Structures are given as C-alpha cells and as structure tokens.
Amino acid sequence: MLKRVAAALSAIMVLAAAPAAAQVQTREQALAQDAGEYARLYGVPQDEALRRLHAQADSIPVTDAIANQYRDRLAGISIQHRPDYRINVYLAGSEPVAERRIRAGGMSVPITFRTGAKASRERVVWAITYHQGAIRAALPSPPSMGLDPRTGELVVIAGGAVTARQGGAAALDAKLSALAGVPVQVRVMDRVDVNLGLHGGSRVDGIDPANGKRYRCTTGFAVTDGSRTGITTAAHCLDDMTYYAPDRSTMPLSFVGQWGWGYHDVQIFAGPAPERPLIYSDTARKVERPVEAQVTRPSTRAGDFVCHRGESSGYSCAEVELLDFAPAGDLCGGACLPTWVAVKGPTCKGGDSGGPVFSGTSAYGVVKGASYQTDGSCAFYFYMSLDYLPAGWKLLTDPLLVPLRGNLPQTLQR
C-alpha cells in the first residue's frame, strides 16, 4: 500500500514539473477539446458531441466481441455520425442478425447489422497481401489500396488518366477483381502518396548531410523498454535531430533505433531526462494532455473520430476512412503491407511525420504520410498503429489515469 501511495505521489510530482506555460488537461478536458471539433464538424451541441466521444470509447469492448463472434462473416464495423449516431456492422451472407442497443457514454447506441457485404475482411486482407504485386504490375504506377469495411470490397485508388487507359473504372474493377479473387472498387483520384517529413506532438528537425537541407518532423509518444524511456517519430525522418520546445529552446536527442519497412515507420530518440507520457494537443503547444491508454488497430473502426497534431498543420480531427490500408509507391522500403490506417483530410502537411494520432487520452498511432490531390490539398493521411512499436518497446502511460477507467457499456435487451 505504501509503495502504491509513494508511486502516486511521485507521478503527481512529475506532472507538477510541467512547464508553467503549459496547461496539463484532465481526461474530461481533453475529451471536451476534441468534442469542440466534433460539434463544429457535425453541427451538434457540445454536450451531445461529448456524449458521442464517450460512447466511441466505451463501445470498443462490445465491437471487439462482435468482431470475434462474426469473424467468418465480418466485412467491417463503422461508426455512423449522420443522420443519427449508431454503430453499423457489415456482414457477408444473407442470414439476418437482429439490431442491438448498448448503453455507452450515457446514451443508448443502436448497433445495426447489415448483410450482403461482398467479401469478409479476412478475404480482402489476404487478397491484398498475396496479390498486391500482381495489382501493382497491372498498372503504370503502383496504386494505394485498402479495405472498404462498409462493402467488403478491395479499394484501389488510381488516377483518372490511368483509369481511362484501362477502359474506365468498371473495366478496371473487373480486371483487378479477376487478379485479386475478391470484388474490387476502383476510386478515381489524381493524387500522390508521400511521407510527411520532449513531448509528443512537438517539433524536431535536423540537416541532411547528403544535401545540406533542413528537414522537420513531429514527435509522437513517449515509450519505454522497461529500463529507459524515449520519444517516437517517423523512421523516414533524419537520424540526427534536435528537439525544439515552445519557447524555442533546444535539446539534443540521442538516436536509439530505426524501424522503417513493410509495416513499420518509427524511430526512437532519447533525451537527457526521462520522458513523460504527455503530448501537446493544440496548435500553439500551450496545452498538454496525459496519455492513458492505447487503442489497437483491430479495435479501430471506420468512422472513429480521431485527432492529430502535426508541427506544420497543427491540431485537427477527422474520421478514420480506410482500414488495412497499403499506401501507393514504395514508401515502406518497397511495397507497403496492408497494416496502415487512413484518416480523412483536409488537414495534413509536410513536417507532420511522426506526429501523434489520438482521441481524448487514448493513443492510436504515429503519422507516416499523406495523399495529396493535384491542387495540393490533403485527401487523407495515414498512420502506423502503436501495435507495431519495435519489439521490447511499449507506450508509456500515465499511472494516475489508468485506474480511472469508466464502466464498460451494458448491452440492453434486444
């Protein structure tokens, strides 16, 4: 008991040591900030937005259980925001499943089961994994691809000129479906996928000795291997980086390691003092929030409302768009595996690489890159789930918040 009290007091002292200029949020303050963005985007009152974000977090155990129960039929699960808030489960086959309701976030949330999906998630992910090479070879340039969890289709994103040369989207659908063995949905979009070049969500930069140019990235989350702590950023950032505090003071960082192929894009730096589980969550870097927990990639749903902070674009929030996403080109030391998560734009810029993706005090991942339209606007960005931190490393969390989890949602009578 005394050890637990001492640990709690020690954690309080760590938080109290935060710079006076920065406000450290409580969990409710963090959710309220994100709810402000939700209310603005969906045109609902602030209190309704806050209830929905609580429901998003509270419903994860239920949707995890549903995914396990219907694994053989599951195409995907999505959060619906309009015209009402509900959870949609998409299943292959025609056997109906009755609607359910759960109590989550202080509200009654319907769970609707929609049948007739064209393929299960497992089939589509398998198809991307084993037929990605053939799909890439069939087109002039390697496309990005991923799962549409609402239809059970393999989404291939190709440019307008490429699609036209293949006889149009319908003809290309048929050609790629024959190659992949699953239904393909071609989305026509002229864009290019690129990588986006101590508290999480802060600035680090350095000079590339190869060309003498300065490059900027964003720090992600504090991590630990059990004996030391570090801070993450993207692997494609420079190995020799300097940390910039909000007051422009600098701190040299020590390179620990880099993992940047296939399903990884992360490197870890260590500073002169132990890291703390805090991230900047506003554009001006005057507000910090503690990191309480991690949401895994299998628990992430299409439509989840997540936020990110990049050193170039600042703080913004949007919906998860595609799961099991493989970016175009050779951004992963070759072809990327279908392990990335794509989030809708329009807010992402060069220099955001490595920045944290979060909702409330829960961590989701670190930004890898983005897909830009021909006018330079951000179509979507994509991140690496923290599931893929290098072996031996894990997310550092705030010990004061972990025991304060809310009650799990209760399933209501059908």
Side-chain angles (χ1 to χ4, degrees):
M1 179 65 180
L2 290 176
K3 288 183 178 179
R4 288 198 296 270
V5 171
L9 290 174
S10 176
I12 291 171
M13 292 174 66
V14 168
L15 287 178
Q23 170 198 348
V24 178
Q25 296 175 319
T26 65
R27 183 196 302 175
E28 284 303 315
Q29 288 171 334
L31 278 170
Q33 180 188 352
D34 297 347
E37 283 297 290
Y38 187 103
R40 182 181 65 82
L41 289 172
Y42 296 107
V44 300
Q46 173 79 10
D47 58 348
E48 172 67 11
L50 189 57
R51 281 194 294 271
R52 291 184 180 190
L53 291 188
H54 275 293
Q56 174 176 297
D58 290 351
S59 62
I60 289 175
V62 173
T63 54
D64 283 350
I66 289 172
N68 184 62
Q69 180 180 358
Y70 295 99
R71 179 176 176 178
D72 293 341
R73 298 179 60 189
L74 183 71
I77 300 175
S78 74
I79 306 297
Q80 174 181 304
H81 304 276
R82 293 189 177 106
D84 62 349
Y85 188 85
R86 66 176 56 232
I87 298 170
N88 292 317
V89 180
Y90 302 88
L91 301 175
S94 58
E95 183 180 352
V97 178
E99 182 177 289
R100 306 177 188 177
R101 283 183 173 269
I102 61 171
R103 192 75 184 171
M107 57 191 289
S108 176
V109 180
I111 301 180
T112 303
F113 292 81
R114 305 181 186 274
T115 58
K118 296 181 179 180
S120 69
R121 178 179 185 177
E122 284 194 348
R123 278 190 63 201
V124 173
V125 173
W126 183 92
I128 297 173
T129 303
Y130 289 96
H131 299 296
Q132 184 181 35
I135 294 172
R136 287 162 60 96
L139 298 173
S141 58
S144 56
M145 58 192 82
L147 166 71
D148 185 340
R150 299 173 178 87
T151 65
E153 293 173 302
L154 194 168
V155 173
V156 175
I157 302 175
V162 170
T163 304
R165 286 199 297 271
Q166 299 289 329
L172 190 52
D173 283 350
K175 176 180 179 179
L176 298 182
S177 294
L179 282 176
V182 295
V184 170
Q185 173 197 138
V186 173
R187 294 186 185 178
V188 180
M189 183 188 300
D190 289 304
R191 86 286 174 268
V192 59
D193 291 357
V194 297
N195 288 323
L196 297 173
L198 292 159
H199 291 62
S202 196
R203 174 186 170 186
V204 285
D205 70 17
I207 297 175
D208 188 344
N211 57 25
K213 294 182 178 179
R214 183 174 293 276
Y215 292 90
R216 174 186 300 175
C217 281
T218 307
T219 55
F221 295 99
V223 293
T224 180
D225 66 356
S227 61
R228 54 184 170 165
T229 62
I231 195 78
T232 64
T233 190
H236 64 266
C237 299
L238 298 178
D239 295 350
D240 187 7
M241 303 285 277
T242 298
Y243 174 89
Y244 284 78
D247 64 0
R248 303 285 298 175
S249 62
T250 61
M251 178 189 303
L253 298 175
S254 301
F255 177 78
V256 174
Q258 178 188 85
W259 300 262
W261 56 89
Y263 57 95
H264 277 139
D265 192 347
V266 61
Q267 64 181 317
I268 297 174
F269 288 101
E275 299 299 334
R276 295 179 293 161
L278 296 169
I279 58 171
Y280 288 112
S281 60
D282 67 321
T283 298
R285 290 193 294 170
K286 293 184 178 180
V287 177
E288 299 167 324
R289 66 177 63 175
V291 177
E292 172 190 7
Q294 173 188 341
V295 176
T296 66
R297 191 172 74 91
S299 294
T300 304
R301 291 85 44 111
D304 272 348
F305 188 76
V306 299
C307 305
H308 88 286
R309 190 199 179 278
E311 184 58 22
S312 296
S313 65
Y315 163 82
S316 65
C317 305
E319 288 181 39
V320 170
E321 173 70 8
L322 291 175
L323 303 166
D324 308 298
F325 179 70
D330 295 317
L331 298 184
C332 301
C336 294
L337 295 177
T339 57
W340 309 85
V341 179
V343 180
K344 290 181 180 179
T347 309
C348 60
K349 293 181 180 179
D352 289 351
S353 283
V357 180
F358 51 88
S359 179
T361 55
S362 293
Y364 280 71
V366 292
V367 173
K368 171 178 174 58
S371 182
Y372 289 104
Q373 312 233 33
T374 53
D375 63 1
S377 62
C378 173
F380 52 81
Y381 70 86
F382 40 93
Y383 70 83
M384 184 199 82
S385 168
L386 293 174
D387 296 0
Y388 301 116
L389 286 173
W393 289 87
K394 66 178 182 179
L395 181 70
L396 191 64
T397 56
D398 189 327
L400 291 181
L401 286 179
V402 170
L404 301 180
R405 292 184 183 275
N407 295 326
L408 296 182
Q410 299 174 348
T411 302
L412 301 183
Q413 188 174 9
R414 294 185 185 181

